[in-house]
Amino acid sequence: MDPDKNLDLVKRKISKAARDVGRIEDEVSLVAVSKTIGAEAIQRVIAGGQHVFGENRVQEAAAKWPGLKVETPDIVLHLIGSLQSNKAADAVALFDVIETVDRDRIARVIGEEMKKQQKAVRLYVQVNTGEEEQKAGITPKETVRFVERCRETHGLEIEGLMCIPPIDENPGPHFALLRQLAREAGVQKLSMGMSDDFEIAIGFGATSVRVGSAIFGTRG
Ligand SMILES: *Cc1c(COP(=O)(O)O)cnc(C)c1O
């Protein structure tokens, strides 16, 4: 296992996938997903030049990242797992981007916390493109109205949409749907694509891809 070598390989694949569809490679940013990964492997990836990371649990991130951030203050942390309102204060304090806004209650609490802490966090709405019961995210049908409510009712700026397609389906139609919803909602960024399908997602317009196991190896 060589996470820094894997990082270089993933970055090259991202560049190639972007060029292949006539996009500029700098348009696609890499979020290295470090959930369950220990500080040592993360440090190697930081040393390899990666400064943007994703975590799916507030508590785990709060235990790991403040220490790592001391050495590298320009780290950008994305929350990519679903957020409960009672963890919103910690999430706003720790993360630079929250990708999992998916209901009014959490939108309201995030807005209140940002005011209280005087901290702007960049926000994405998570869309449950496969309408899977067990999966977080707003339904496709409600997405445009929810983004409007985030803006008008909760005073939040929504930067992008995020999705996790069903694991057993061709992801292409899900990426296409997310792109379409972003257009309708007037939202610029698309967080889509993981280790197995980030090149496909780039073809559908992903502006950031969330890659874990292709960098850090299979999680135990
Ligand atoms: C774990 C996770 C990823 C990364 O998955 P890999 O298949 O390891 O690349 C991406 N997005 C979310 C929301 C995740 O929870």
Side-chain angles (χ1 to χ4, degrees):
M1 259 315 297
D2 225 337
D4 37 352
K5 280 209 187 103
N6 293 343
L7 172 70
D8 284 338
L9 185 64
V10 167
K11 286 203 286 203
R12 280 204 300 276
K13 285 181 174 172
I14 290 172
S15 299
K16 180 172 187 312
R19 283 196 309 269
D20 283 351
V21 293
R23 299 184 59 197
I24 301 163
E25 46 200 89
D26 296 351
E27 280 176 13
V28 186
S29 74
L30 168 62
V31 179
V33 176
S34 51
K35 64 188 186 199
T36 77
I37 305 298
E40 206 177 304
I42 295 174
Q43 266 157 346
R44 287 177 62 183
V45 169
I46 293 173
Q50 178 67 24
H51 286 186
V52 184
F53 290 85
E55 290 279 349
N56 68 337
R57 290 163 146 251
V58 177
Q59 250 163 333
E60 182 190 338
K64 241 166 35 184
W65 279 99
L68 289 162
K69 269 185 160 179
V70 171
E71 289 159 51
T72 320
D74 66 339
I75 291 289
V76 177
L77 267 191
H78 290 232
L79 178 65
I80 59 171
S82 60
L83 178 59
Q84 272 143 25
S85 350
N86 62 355
K87 302 252 170 67
D90 290 344
V92 167
L94 182 64
F95 288 92
D96 304 286
V97 184
I98 295 175
E99 298 201 14
T100 50
V101 181
D102 65 352
R103 55 196 192 278
D104 286 279
R105 181 170 161 74
I106 207 70
R108 193 185 72 234
V109 178
I110 288 172
E112 288 166 1
E113 278 304 327
M114 293 203 313
K115 269 208 198 97
K116 212 186 279 175
Q117 300 183 27
Q118 304 211 342
K119 183 184 172 197
V121 176
R122 290 153 51 201
L123 301 173
Y124 285 60
V125 165
Q126 181 176 359
V127 183
N128 187 359
T129 57
E131 303 191 51
E132 295 171 279
E133 220 157 89
Q134 80 286 5
K135 204 165 264 173
I138 192 100
T139 63
K141 201 157 54 79
E142 291 174 281
T143 299
V144 172
R145 262 176 298 162
F146 179 61
V147 169
E148 283 169 6
R149 282 204 304 282
C150 284
R151 291 180 181 134
E152 286 157 23
T153 310
H154 307 296
L156 301 175
E157 203 176 304
I158 299 299
E159 179 174 301
L161 301 183
M162 178 272 230
C163 77
I164 311 167
I167 43 174
D168 52 356
E169 278 182 38
N170 173 8
H174 295 273
F175 298 151
L177 174 60
L178 198 71
R179 179 176 60 186
Q180 177 59 31
L181 291 170
R183 275 202 197 114
E184 289 172 20
V187 152
Q188 307 306 318
K189 300 283 178 76
L190 292 170
S191 169
M192 56 191 197
M194 322 204 306
S195 290
D196 288 336
D197 55 19
F198 66 88
E199 289 147 302
I200 301 170
I202 290 167
F204 282 94
T207 57
S208 61
V209 294
R210 310 178 307 269
V211 179
S213 49
I215 296 171
F216 292 108
T218 319
R219 290 176 293 272

